[in-house]
Every structure is written in structure tokens, then in C-alpha cells.
Amino acid sequence: PWMRFYNPKDGPIGPHPCQMWEADFANHENRNKWENVKGFIEKEHGSLSVLMHPHSMDGDYADHTRNAFWAGKVLDLRIGGWNSGERGGAL
């Protein structure tokens, strides 16, 4: 499959402030499906807040902020201690 789905998380984890579940594009070759998935999420998110973000070389801060797409209510992420100038590295 070109997407992987993970078990729901019962509470906040990492930068995510509330319960969540995660899906990803399985591998880099599927990155071209971003617009298709984004369109589906825009149409079907209902009352949910949905954050889509890439895993780019810009780093985690950029991927959760300027590279991110939100459908529904934008939530305040727990990224206060993150380095906004970081490129390509982890937190």
C-alpha cells in the first residue's frame, strides 16, 4: 500500500497537543500524491482538526509550521522550544 496507518495515540505526543492518529505516504516515491490526499482531507475532515506535514530537509519546525497544511481548526502545537532556524535536522 502507498499509505501506512498507525494506532491512535491516547494523549499528547511530541508537538501534537491532543489525541491523534498518524498516517504517512509509506515512502518518498509517493510524495507526488500530496495534492490528492490534501483534496480528500479538505473535503472529508468534518469537525476534525487535521494537520498534514511533510518530512522535508527543512527540519521538523518548518514541517510543522510553514510547510504544514491544516484542515479544520488550527491547533497550537507544542513547539516553543524548537529551533525555528534549523535545517535538515531533528529537534
Side-chain angles (χ1 to χ4, degrees), residues 70-84:
W70 283 93
K73 180 182 176 190
V74 176
L75 302 178
D76 291 328
L77 297 178
R78 303 178 319 162
I79 57 176
W82 289 14
N83 181 356
S84 63

